[in-house]
Amino acid sequence: MTHWPLDKFHGGIHPPENKSQSNQGNIQYPPLPKRLIVPVLQHAGQPAEPCVEIGNYVYKGQLIAQNMTAISASVHAPSSGTVTAIGPAPYPHQSGEPYLAIEIHTDGLDLWQEPTPEINPSTLTSAEIFHIIQQSGIVGLGGAGFPTAIKLSGKIMSGIDSLIINGTECEPYITADDLLMRERADKILAGVDILVQLTRPKNVLIATEDNKPEALASMQAALGSRAYQVVSIPTLYPSGGERQLIKILTGQEVPSGSLPIDLGIICQNVGTAEAIYNAVVLGRPLISRVTTLTGTALKQPMNVECLLGTPIEELLEFAGLDKQQLSKVIVGGPMMGFSLGNLAAPVIKTTNCLIAGTAQEFPSPEAALPCIRCGECEQVCPSNLLPQQLLFFAMGEQHEQLKAYNLPDCIECGACAYVCSSKIPLVQYYRAAKADIRQHEQKMAKAEHAKQRYELRQERLRLEEEQKAAERQARNERLARVKAAQEQAAKQEAQQAQSTGSISDDELKHLKIAASMAQVALRKAEKQLALHDTEALQTQVASLKDAAKQAQDALAAAQAQLAQSWATSSPAAAPDEALKKAKIQLAMRRAAVKKAEKAETDEASLNSLRQALQQAQQQLEQLNQTHAKASSTENTSTEQKTAAVPISDAMKKAKIELAMRRAALKKAEKAGASADELTQLQLALSEAEKNLAQVSSPNNPG
Amino acid sequence: MTLILTAVAVLSLLSLVFGALLGFAAVRFRVEGNPIVEQINAILPQTQCGQCGYPGCRPYAEAIAAGDKINKCPPGGEATIQALADLLDVEPEPLDAAEGEKTPVVAYIREEECIGCTKCIQACPVDAILGSSRQMHTVISSECTGCDLCVEPCPVDCIEMRPIETDLRSWKWQQPARQYQIIASDKEALE
């Protein structure tokens, strides 16, 4: 058999125990309170979500707030009654701020919903046990309140090395676990049996300090044939700390940043073991706990089994509170607890002790003196830290240095402050620094998150913009292609017009408009001049006159050019008109010839007339010929009609094909086909045109 | 004479070799962009609010790297200025903002007044506003950086900035009041 303790941790102190005041009697049962304030956050982690409404009747043990995340615990009604309020209520916290709670007015019946038969845990599978523990809202009852189900999940499925049941209760004043072990050793051990069934540990250690001989004896007596080790370790604060206890019992040190489970060790409080028994065997969720009521302001210090949600003031009055004597109420132990601001706050799952202290018992702290670097704090630190270095870094808010000196490993046990010869409240510095670091880290995480979201948004906007630009470009390209095609056609026309030295109708129109506008402007200016005869107006009128004249000249020149172009027969520019003119000329000449013939004019003049007629005929033919060519591009049918050419079948076919090709080309242009496709279509079109020209040319006169 | 020539030859050879090495390293291990910009950007609070006069935190980080002042970030406040001063080894300056350091806020849309114009959604730099055209909008407060860029575009003024609610979970310990910062003779010298 191994001899315990195996090892000892660094440092530790021996503060006055003050346990004898409260561990004399049995666990008492205070009367059922009229009003229960049940906060939805009674543990470390996320709050539970209320699942009852105001006015609902709830039975004892009924679920009233559900755990929504893994690191959370459900909350159950501690007694039967009516829900009267759900909202902020006094809460036992160092800040003194209220927190969301469900208020129940008890009906005094203390009714369970339905009687559940006792269950033999050996008939349950591990998964079923785990589920019950999770649903029963069980958290570590030693004081930290970490949800038990989380501790029992994950790596334990493959079995663990050691299961440690912590009954050391090292902090002064507190005797709740002591009394629990004395009175309910069988229940605790039954709870341990369930934990053993769940975790299959190689060895089970039940540890208590040697200042609790009755508890030790009771546990050993209840042990029976179980192969568990009940170990008594020397009294030393803080040997009840999880890491310190592991060091004492196994000699192993839990590395910084890892958990006991990484070494195959699970640590559970004795109270938690009893709660597991209640939940699994009796089917009762965690709705009450054993709490120590002590302090010199109480007439009868004691331990009570109290319902969660019982107002602290009622409990203290049950223990005989002397309000005149009361200086402050401390929740938890004197080393790690906090002083309570509002006595209306309720007992929650983590409330293991309430100390109603007098002014003599807890004098207000002396003024802190400068650190003299005596090194006492380093001697007692159970985490092997350098408290004075940490103090200076905390005062300077040097977060990097604090982390480098392992501030996160500080368990805030208060041993350093206890021995400090300068009475420096060291732990408060560390708590503030830890909170600052945590806040800063949260801020950085939020900034990083915001940055990611911002960058993702920018990326999304950029992609959208790119897509839009691409669409715009495609549209523009399509338009440009259409425009280019149109321009090319216009250019061809213009070239044809230029080659024959003609002016288009449009240009003529423009010139006409310009001329008339110049005239109007001139007239206006002249009117102005008539009204006010100024030099400026005169010069203006003169210049306008010039401009009007110029415009007139340009128009006249253009008209002359147009006339000339008709005269010199420029068919391509304005083919229809030219053709018409030529025809008219021909008809006139013909008429003149006929007239002359009728009038029996002399041969010479008749000849000249005939010559003119012939000329006109030739001109018309020429025009028709060019038209036949032009017909391949536009207005085929009309031109063909004017040419009065019978349309053969071949020609029809060729024309139909041409029209089809043209339609295809237009369609392609509209649809924004690629340049390759368009050129191909254009090629096909010109081929069709050629075809048509070939078919139609032999039929053309001349 | 040969000695001198040998020395010159050896030195030239060495300088050539090292020059080639340096040239290679300059190309091979070239750093893209200015690495200090990343570090500055990591310190800035990433609210993307533009109160510094730049369109976002990164542009301001680039401006700081190029020599701009470090005291133009109201959301970051003194802590950011201090961190920037430490990083860049310059003197911290008081915050350059009319209203001074603001308490952290989140945007809140009075939903019954919202007409669903989507203008605030387009203004939000971190996509923290949810809604669609002619539908009520709302702010995802956990994603809101409190930049207040959504307040101005709202045509019906239904957006307000509310201070972030604190409860005991966000409560933190304060450092104890200190009475002994300096030794007596120093105190006298100050007075």
Side-chain angles (χ1 to χ4, degrees), chain A residues 41 45-47 91 93-95 97-99 338 367-371 391 393-397 412 424-425 428-429 431-433 435-436 438-439 443-444 446-451 453-458 460, chain B residues 38 41-48 55-59 75-76 79 106 121-128 140-146 164 166-181:
Chain A
L41 180 69
Q46 297 296 314
Y91 185 81
H93 191 261
Q94 49 266 42
S95 68
E97 286 184 49
Y99 200 75
F338 57 91
L369 295 166
C371 173
L391 169 70
F393 293 137
M395 283 163 72
E397 294 181 5
E412 301 173 22
I424 301 170
Q428 199 181 335
Y429 281 102
R431 281 174 170 167
D436 277 341
R438 198 167 49 240
Q439 200 178 38
K443 225 177 186 176
M444 295 306 274
K446 188 165 186 194
E448 183 56 35
H449 184 67
K451 190 172 124 194
R453 282 181 77 86
Y454 176 67
E455 278 166 5
L456 282 174
R457 178 187 154 89
Q458 294 298 99
R460 196 191 73 223
Chain B
E38 276 309 321
N41 198 29
I43 290 172
L44 295 174
Q46 304 298 328
T47 50
Q48 319 294 349
C57 291
R58 175 165 275 280
V106 284
I121 295 176
Q122 290 156 34
C124 181
V126 291
D127 283 333
I140 310 168
S141 33
S142 62
E143 307 291 354
C144 176
T145 62
I164 292 174
T166 54
D167 65 4
L168 53 93
R169 281 156 62 74
S170 57
W171 178 89
K172 68 184 192 69
W173 286 93
Q174 296 300 315
Q175 285 206 355
R178 279 175 241 163
Q179 304 107 343
Y180 57 91
Q181 273 306 287

Side-chain angles (χ1 to χ4, degrees), chain A residues 180-298:
Chain A
L180 196 71
M181 285 190 285
R182 286 189 206 183
E183 292 188 15
R184 304 182 190 164
D186 51 341
K187 285 187 177 177
I188 293 168
L189 286 171
V192 174
D193 289 342
I194 297 166
L195 280 170
V196 167
Q197 190 186 334
L198 199 62
T199 59
R200 302 191 304 284
K202 292 199 185 86
N203 49 69
V204 180
L205 302 164
I206 301 169
T208 180
E209 278 186 341
D210 57 12
N211 58 1
K212 295 183 253 306
E214 296 95 335
L216 185 72
S218 164
M219 291 298 281
Q220 269 166 341
L223 204 55
S225 60
R226 295 181 180 97
Y228 307 157
Q229 309 285 342
V230 179
V231 183
S232 177
I233 58 169
T235 301
L236 180 68
Y237 178 80
S239 58
E242 193 173 55
R243 284 159 197 251
Q244 285 68 34
L245 187 60
I246 289 168
K247 181 84 162 71
I248 290 168
L249 294 178
T250 70
Q252 285 178 286
E253 214 166 306
V254 181
S256 171
S258 50
L259 296 168
I261 189 65
D262 297 330
L263 299 177
I265 297 168
I266 283 182
C267 221
Q268 293 289 355
N269 180 264
V270 285
T272 315
E274 194 220 352
I276 288 171
Y277 165 80
N278 283 339
V280 176
V281 178
L282 305 179
R284 295 181 175 180
L286 182 60
I287 53 167
S288 67
R289 66 158 299 142
V290 177
T291 299
T292 305
L293 307 176
T294 184
T296 40
L298 295 184

